[in-house]
Amino acid sequence: MSKTDMKGTTVKGRAELALNDDFLRKAVKFTTERLRDGKRKASDDLGNWEEWRERGRQIRLHTIAHLDYYLNQFANQARLNGVHVHFADTAEDAVKITLAIAERKQALSVVKSKSMVTEELHLNQALESIGVDVVESDLGEYIIQLAGETPSHIIIPAIHKNRYQIADLLSKEAGETLPPDTAILAGFVRKKLREKFLEADIGMTGCNFAIAETGSMVLFENEGNARMVSTVPSTQITLMGMERIIPSWSDLEVMATLLPRSATGQKLTVYMSGITGPRRQEDGDGPDEMHIIILDNGRSLQLGDPEFQELLNCIRCGACLNACPVYRHIGGHAYGGTYSGPIGAVLTPALNKNIDQWDDIASASTLCGACYEACPVKIPLHDMLIYLRRRKVERGLGDKMESIGMRGFAAIMSNSKRYENALKVGKLAQRLVVKDGEITSKLGPLKGWNNYRVAPSLAKQSFRDQWGTMEEEIRHGLQEIDPLVSNRMEEIVRNREAGGKGHD
Amino acid sequence: MKVSMFITCISDAVYPRIGEAMARLLAKYGVALHFPTIQTCCGQPAFNSGYWEEARASAKTILEAFEDSDFVIAPSGSCIGMIHHYPKLFEDDPILLAKAEGLRKKSYEFTQFLVNVLGVTDVGATFPHKVTYHPSCHGSRILGVKEEPMMLMRNVKGMELIPLPFAEDCCGFGGTFAVKMSDISGAMVNEKADHVLESEAEVLVGLDMACLMNIAGNLRYRNKPIRVMHLAELLFEGVEHA
Amino acid sequence: MTETHQAWLAQMESESRAKQEQFMNGIAGRLGHPRLTTAPPHPFRGAPDFWQTFGWSSDERVQQFTDNFEAAGGHVHRLSDMQEVQSFICSKAIELSARYMIHQNEIELNHLQLKEKLEDVVVSQWNSESDEDWIARAAEADIGIVMADYAVSHTGSIVVVSSKDKGRSVSLLPTALIAIIPLERLKTRLGEVLIDFDEAGREQLPAGIHFISGPSRSADIENDLTIGVHGPGVVFVLIVG
């Protein structure tokens, strides 16, 4: 294996590659900042953002807590609408059903609109293996399909490509040299994909929300390709995660208020389409046959798990990616899964039971909580990352050196005498490397730190060493406490003892 | 009223001057801090890395140290934030869980205590410098300490408070993250330090020594003469100066 | 083929129904409750309470709709009656050198007599004959014309629903779209429209309900905003009344 290949196998290695790709870093930074600012403006303009967010969370919590009822209702209602509903436990099951439909319909070509679920299934490769031509129709998805890559951002899949690279890819497709001009490139794609839409046998979509009470599915998009895919071909196949459900159209108002604002800062995406079954007999357009495949693929593992059930509340807006300082530096591909960013760092390991293969994806976070703050349905991703790390350690899969270090930490920190001794030993040991109160050596355990910083030395006298004399001095010159303040303090203590929540 | 200082291991071992500034400043308001010496570390390094058994070993010293305190004050939103995790950490032990709940309710980050309990928003400090403020993630996001430091800073005479570009972005410290994912952490702290330089401030101030150690270390590495201070230190110096 | 296909679909359906039971039992099991067979009380239905009563005056609705729709790159004109709509469309058709136009088969639009007024333009009425490839007619059209069934000023959206006489393609495939909003159909909030779909219930819903909030757009190439990627790149909204 070459050095580059080795690097590509761990989060750390992939991150290193990304950090050395200047264009990628700048592009990701620029895009995420733009989206983040858009979201901030949109949520400020709306007003009462926290109330909307809380409402969104409550609707999602309620739906997931009663998912057996709502999903069942959705499936039954969709059938009454004339939809063929299928259930898939695994990615393989979903692929099998999709291929069976494609074969039955003797399909030669499929046009797809953006769907993260189909990325989970690696559906394009599967369809191509039975000779079906698959075309991604979202502009960004089309670009990365031509490049043979995977999306690096939920909302902006080709965030990592510049216009020159895109012009090269599209020129190959066009058989002529196209200039790196956005309008011309997009114009070429419009014309090219128009033909594909009109000749495709099957249109394939994802699903942003599914409405239980009426068996309808809802798509949010800006380009119009999802409408094309669900209007023009005679067969529509929709892949949806089993958790996409909301009870009613009224609940959609909350999701429609949160999702576009969080994703791109729009008040609503250019198109929001609610589709209720295939075409009515007398209609002039719309698919004759409609299939909805409902996928589990590890989702149900989160149900009943108090630490992770809220993961299913995710509405796939990508706001956590845009807010995440780690994502901004390493981009989506460094996460190594279908979903990237903070949601990917939690979702990927949670959906896969193979804990030993989690890599160190959950370690790629400072736990700064920006993801939680950005999340329109308040998923505590920063806490979940800690739970993942803990589960790995509990199963004895933690890093060996780290385990030894942590045992040492516990031994020292569980007893203040041992802690004081450790400080003494540390002060002696650091004499070898300290110069002017700093340590600059890049040897040993400080290497990673000192590649970017200098480390401070331990103080000559710790606070606890100084406290005795300091306390005496302070008590000597102590001021009188303001009786108002002292009353307030007493009241706080009384309230607390009476069962108050405390100051938060 | 027993008001206790939770010094936090980093201030104890590396930055004792922060504890001193806090103690001397509070004394001016008649608060005589008490310092239980059996305290060690809040346990966050182990907790965040998934080693909860080890975190509990450390956290128990904190539960014990502050058991009979009425108020517990620390110069760190992150370590107080860790105390907010104690109920989860001890959820299977009813006795320790009760203690954890009790401690959570009485724990305050330094500016929270100063502003919300003592009711002080102007300590009467003078600090004639250009200053920029980094709001550390755990303090501002987990504890919601946003307005308190701003109020205190706005009332410092002679001080020019310059907004830090992208202030709310994490500095890249993240505890063991800085070592495990050192290159990502390095890229983040480089960016944070760039923003500090961009502000053209002479002094960077914050509420968490771990983050400040990270940014200061990077600024020193790049030989940038920016003074990095905890707000307690700045206020105390400003009061003495006045 | 048709028969075997129907048989295959029936086979798939029976497999799916069996699977559905297993699926739902699995979910209920994991959630730790017996299978729910009646609707659980849903105390958080719809928007927060403070929003439910929010509303703008007619003038504010027009202003907000206009601001939002124009910010998204669309064009809005306030006209007093269908007579003015007719002149607007005719002059736009000439200005844009339209050769093909398609409109929904709706009484208000049929009354505009565009066929007669625009002799050089091929004007078709959606689904007005049975043996026509209507999708192709919409795809070739320079301009599609629809009546908005609703509009929402808070988001700057028009809403069109499908039926025998109202094609989904008419608002999607032409290069330019003209949508007419009778003033009384312009609401403040999304919820005022969505509630109607809840109240109508499954059986009354059309196959397609589309909210359209401007011209088709993409920022997928270097964040550079491109208009008209797949759907209409030019959208005119005419508020009438």
Side-chain angles (χ1 to χ4, degrees):
Chain A
M1 212 182 252
S2 76
K3 204 173 165 221
T4 317
D5 289 339
M6 285 284 288
K7 277 188 179 170
T9 57
T10 62
V11 171
K12 202 177 156 133
R14 287 188 298 266
E16 202 183 314
L17 293 176
L19 287 167
N20 289 319
D21 184 339
D22 219 31
F23 171 78
L24 173 75
R25 283 181 63 193
K26 282 190 184 138
V28 172
K29 208 170 133 178
F30 179 79
T31 312
T32 53
E33 271 164 23
R34 182 179 66 87
L35 295 173
R36 185 161 66 149
D37 290 347
K39 174 183 183 255
R40 185 173 303 146
K41 188 174 180 308
S43 50
D44 287 351
D45 286 354
L46 174 69
N48 304 300
W49 183 247
E50 287 309 312
E51 282 169 67
W52 282 102
R53 232 179 137 211
E54 179 59 22
R55 193 63 162 207
R57 172 170 177 268
Q58 292 296 350
I59 291 172
R60 295 298 295 148
L61 283 172
H62 169 83
T63 312
I64 300 299
H66 305 94
L67 190 60
D68 53 325
Y69 178 80
Y70 287 119
L71 185 59
N72 195 58
Q73 184 186 31
F74 171 76
N76 292 341
Q77 293 294 76
R79 277 210 189 88
L80 290 172
N81 290 330
V83 177
H84 304 285
V85 180
H86 313 271
F87 292 88
D89 286 327
T90 62
E92 293 74 35
D93 289 352
V95 169
K96 217 170 103 188
I97 295 166
T98 312
L99 295 188
I101 299 166
E103 279 172 344
R104 267 282 146 188
K105 303 302 290 186
Q106 299 177 335
L108 296 175
S109 67
V110 168
V111 278
K112 280 181 67 193
S113 61
K114 196 166 151 42
S115 152
M116 290 306 290
V117 166
T118 61
E119 297 287 342
E120 257 178 72
L121 309 180
H122 305 294
L123 194 56
N124 294 10
Q125 295 91 314
L127 283 162
E128 280 157 9
S129 76
I130 60 162
V132 179
D133 179 36
V134 186
V135 180
E136 291 286 352
S137 61
D138 172 271
L139 179 54
E141 294 273 350
Y142 180 64
I143 291 164
I144 57 164
Q145 187 190 21
L146 292 179
E149 294 175 6
T150 53
S152 63
H153 189 284
I154 299 184
I155 303 298
I156 317 276
I159 191 172
H160 58 288
K161 287 258 172 278
N162 67 32
R163 71 178 69 208
Y164 301 96
Q165 293 167 315
I166 295 169
D168 284 347
L169 288 167
L170 295 177
S171 295
K172 262 184 222 147
E173 206 51 29
E176 59 172 312
T177 306
L178 299 172
D181 176 299
T182 312
I184 294 173
L185 296 175
F188 165 75
V189 173
R190 178 184 170 99
K191 190 166 163 290
K192 176 90 189 171
L193 291 188
R194 260 308 158 94
E195 294 160 19
K196 299 282 184 186
F197 288 126
L198 293 170
E199 73 189 21
D201 302 301
I202 295 177
M204 204 173 278
T205 77
C207 169
N208 291 104
F209 298 102
I211 296 173
E213 290 177 9
T214 59
S216 312
M217 53 162 290
V218 184
L219 293 169
F220 287 73
E221 50 143 354
N222 282 319
E223 296 180 9
N225 60 314
R227 285 191 66 193
M228 295 281 183
V229 162
S230 57
T231 304
V232 179
S234 63
T235 300
Q236 177 185 337
I237 303 177
T238 291
L239 271 299
M240 64 174 260
M242 61 188 276
E243 80 287 16
R244 292 295 101 207
I245 303 285
I246 49 173
S248 67
W249 287 87
S250 294
D251 294 313
L252 180 63
E253 179 174 18
V254 179
M255 300 304 142
T257 300
L258 294 171
L259 176 59
R261 285 179 174 82
S262 300
T264 57
Q266 289 171 281
K267 290 184 176 173
L268 194 58
T269 46
V270 173
Y271 303 106
M272 175 174 84
S273 303
I275 298 169
T276 308
R279 75 195 288 171
R280 305 295 178 258
Q281 193 145 26
E282 66 279 11
D283 284 355
D285 56 2
D288 298 310
E289 188 174 311
M290 182 170 165
H291 297 263
I292 294 181
I293 303 173
I294 298 170
L295 176 72
D296 182 338
N297 202 28
R299 287 164 172 77
S300 62
L301 297 174
Q302 320 314 319
L303 292 168
D305 182 334
E307 291 180 334
F308 289 97
Q309 185 166 316
E310 280 190 60
L311 261 187
L312 301 179
N313 294 358
C314 175
I315 59 172
R316 305 284 191 268
C317 68
C320 59
L321 280 65
N322 304 330
C324 179
V326 171
Y327 178 89
R328 193 166 67 246
H329 283 285
I330 65 177
H333 288 149
Y335 290 82
T338 300
Y339 301 97
S340 61
I343 183 69
V346 182
L347 198 58
T348 304
L351 294 182
N352 302 317
K353 280 177 288 184
N354 51 344
I355 300 176
D356 53 327
Q357 290 164 37
W358 280 356
D359 195 359
D360 40 7
I361 188 169
S363 299
S365 167
T366 62
L367 309 174
C368 76
C371 45
Y372 168 68
E373 194 176 63
C375 178
V377 291
K378 298 162 83 165
I379 303 172
L381 290 168
H382 61 308
D383 286 339
M384 291 177 173
L385 284 163
I386 299 177
Y387 304 151
L388 279 175
R389 294 174 185 182
R390 191 201 67 220
R391 288 185 185 194
K392 195 164 176 175
V393 169
E394 279 171 354
R395 284 168 178 76
L397 298 165
D399 178 82
K400 291 289 164 288
M401 285 306 291
E402 188 179 62
S403 303
I404 294 166
M406 288 301 171
R407 274 205 295 276
F409 170 88
I412 292 167
M413 295 302 184
S414 60
N415 178 300
S416 60
K417 288 283 165 283
R418 260 176 268 163
Y419 166 76
E420 281 164 23
N421 282 330
L423 281 184
K424 284 194 189 109
V425 173
K427 271 184 275 186
L428 281 175
Q430 74 176 7
R431 283 190 194 168
L432 299 168
V433 286
V434 172
K435 203 179 152 218
D436 298 332
E438 288 173 348
I439 304 171
T440 53
S441 163
K442 289 184 184 171
L443 299 173
L446 283 171
K447 180 172 176 283
W449 179 270
N450 280 1
N451 273 338
Y452 298 95
R453 316 162 186 84
V454 297
S457 64
L458 294 172
K460 287 201 181 77
Q461 267 203 309
S462 67
F463 182 79
R464 66 184 59 220
D465 290 342
Q466 301 176 34
W467 178 245
T469 30
M470 198 191 303
E471 189 185 21
E472 215 166 292
E473 244 181 81
I474 289 173
R475 294 216 180 244
H476 192 68
L478 191 66
Q479 300 291 313
E480 201 58 40
I481 193 163
D482 180 343
L484 277 174
V485 172
S486 122
N487 284 343
R488 178 160 52 226
M489 288 170 76
E490 275 160 24
E491 200 189 322
I492 292 172
V493 173
R494 271 199 307 276
N495 276 343
R496 203 191 284 151
E497 278 161 5
K501 269 188 65 193
H503 61 96
D504 51 356
Chain B
M1 279 294 127
K2 190 168 183 182
V3 184
S4 300
M5 157 129 59
F6 170 27
I7 181 68
T8 77
C9 57
I10 186 170
S11 287
D12 187 13
V14 185
Y15 303 107
R17 59 175 201 262
I18 313 302
E20 180 172 0
M22 214 165 90
R24 290 190 189 277
L25 192 65
L26 292 180
K28 294 189 187 296
Y29 297 96
V31 176
L33 281 180
H34 159 256
F35 180 76
T37 52
I38 57 166
Q39 61 179 294
T40 62
C41 163
C42 65
Q44 189 170 193
F47 180 82
N48 284 357
S49 300
Y51 294 82
W52 286 23
E53 207 39 63
E54 288 79 356
R56 274 188 280 268
S58 183
K60 279 179 193 162
T61 70
I62 306 297
L63 288 181
E64 202 188 330
F66 299 110
E67 200 168 352
D68 56 0
S69 303
D70 293 308
F71 292 89
V72 178
I73 309 156
S76 162
S78 190
C79 304
I80 296 294
M82 179 62 210
I83 288 175
H84 282 233
H85 285 302
Y86 282 5
K88 171 84 182 166
L89 190 61
F90 293 106
E91 65 185 349
D92 296 330
D93 183 330
I95 295 168
L96 292 176
L97 174 61
K99 289 187 185 180
E101 280 294 355
L103 177 59
R104 185 184 66 79
K105 288 182 197 169
K106 65 189 180 192
S107 297
Y108 290 78
E109 183 277 328
F110 162 69
T111 63
Q112 269 185 327
F113 182 76
L114 198 56
V115 174
N116 303 337
V117 178
L118 297 187
V120 176
T121 54
D122 184 352
V123 298
T126 302
F127 195 78
H129 299 282
K130 286 188 194 170
V131 174
T132 194
Y133 169 69
H134 168 63
S136 287
C137 306
H138 288 172
S140 61
R141 293 205 179 94
I142 313 290
L143 295 184
V145 178
K146 293 184 177 173
E147 265 310 298
E148 293 89 342
M150 297 314 285
M151 285 191 227
L152 289 163
M153 285 187 289
R154 276 196 293 263
N155 288 324
V156 175
K157 285 169 204 69
M159 183 170 113
E160 188 187 342
L161 185 60
I162 306 169
L164 177 65
F166 297 90
E168 72 280 12
D169 282 358
C170 176
C171 70
F173 176 65
T176 54
F177 173 84
V179 180
K180 273 193 211 169
M181 296 283 169
S182 56
D183 290 333
I184 307 176
S185 174
M188 289 165 71
V189 72
N190 275 336
E191 187 179 61
K192 176 59 72 179
D194 286 345
H195 290 143
V196 172
L197 295 172
E198 211 179 294
S199 78
E200 296 183 345
E202 305 154 62
V203 177
L204 169 67
V205 68
L207 298 176
D208 245 298
M209 286 322 292
C211 318
L212 293 177
M213 172 177 78
N214 181 41
I215 307 168
N218 181 271
L219 288 166
R220 272 292 294 136
Y221 186 84
R222 293 156 70 177
N223 266 319
K224 304 293 181 190
I226 309 245
R227 191 172 174 205
V228 179
M229 302 171 85
H230 190 281
L231 183 59
E233 204 183 349
L234 185 150
L235 294 178
F236 181 62
E237 197 176 303
V239 169
E240 294 292 287
H241 182 271
Chain C
M1 168 71 195
T2 319
E3 243 170 66
T4 54
H5 186 61
Q6 287 310 320
W8 178 78
L9 285 172
Q11 167 68 24
M12 288 293 273
E13 180 169 337
S14 79
E15 283 171 24
S16 163
R17 282 181 188 275
K19 184 89 196 166
Q20 184 173 343
E21 278 310 292
Q22 191 195 325
F23 220 80
M24 301 309 154
N25 289 335
I27 293 172
R30 286 212 166 256
L31 286 170
H33 59 223
R35 270 289 292 281
L36 300 173
T37 48
T38 52
H42 176 12
F44 309 105
R45 191 180 173 105
D49 293 342
F50 74 87
W51 188 244
Q52 306 268 5
T53 50
F54 181 74
W56 278 317
S57 69
S58 172
D59 285 347
E60 283 172 313
R61 289 202 299 276
V62 171
Q63 190 57 50
Q64 291 284 340
F65 179 91
T66 307
D67 290 349
N68 286 324
F69 203 79
E70 288 180 346
H75 308 277
V76 181
H77 298 270
R78 177 84 189 266
L79 304 177
S80 51
D81 54 27
M82 291 306 274
Q83 194 67 45
E84 284 187 23
V85 169
Q86 184 192 52
S87 351
F88 179 91
I89 294 174
C90 291
S91 64
K92 243 342 138 193
I94 293 160
E95 184 190 324
L96 298 175
S97 316
R99 287 169 302 136
Y100 297 92
M101 274 171 47
I102 186 163
H103 63 79
Q104 307 287 35
N105 194 1
E106 289 183 89
I107 190 155
E108 298 93 330
L109 299 176
N110 297 344
H111 279 170
L112 294 175
Q113 295 180 302
L114 296 171
K115 222 176 261 185
E116 293 74 10
K117 295 277 170 196
L118 293 162
E119 282 178 356
D120 299 336
V121 182
V122 180
V123 180
S124 12
Q125 260 164 268
W126 177 261
N127 214 9
S128 52
E129 287 162 44
S130 55
D131 51 353
E132 179 64 82
D133 183 349
W134 287 104
I135 289 179
R137 291 290 76 75
E140 77 188 2
D142 300 303
I143 302 177
I145 304 167
V146 302
M147 295 296 293
D149 294 281
Y150 299 92
V152 179
S153 48
H154 185 247
T155 55
S157 315
I158 60 162
V159 188
V160 290
V161 305
S162 69
S163 71
K164 170 182 175 294
D165 299 315
K166 299 194 284 186
R168 288 147 76 169
S169 303
V170 179
S171 61
L172 178 66
L173 298 177
T175 311
L177 171 66
I178 298 176
I180 297 147
I181 310 175
L183 185 58
E184 67 277 10
R185 297 184 191 177
L186 178 58
K187 315 282 183 193
T188 302
R189 296 172 283 115
L190 280 176
E192 292 172 75
V193 178
L194 295 170
I195 189 78
D196 278 9
F197 305 140
D198 276 331
E199 282 171 0
R202 184 194 67 74
E203 286 172 69
Q204 304 306 317
L205 289 186
I209 297 171
H210 302 282
F211 288 69
I212 303 172
S213 311
S216 154
R217 63 190 273 168
S218 172
D220 278 350
I221 301 179
E222 283 192 3
N223 297 290
D224 193 6
L225 185 65
T226 328
I227 295 295
V229 187
H230 293 300
V234 185
V235 184
F236 298 98
V237 164
L238 312 179
I239 302 176
V240 181

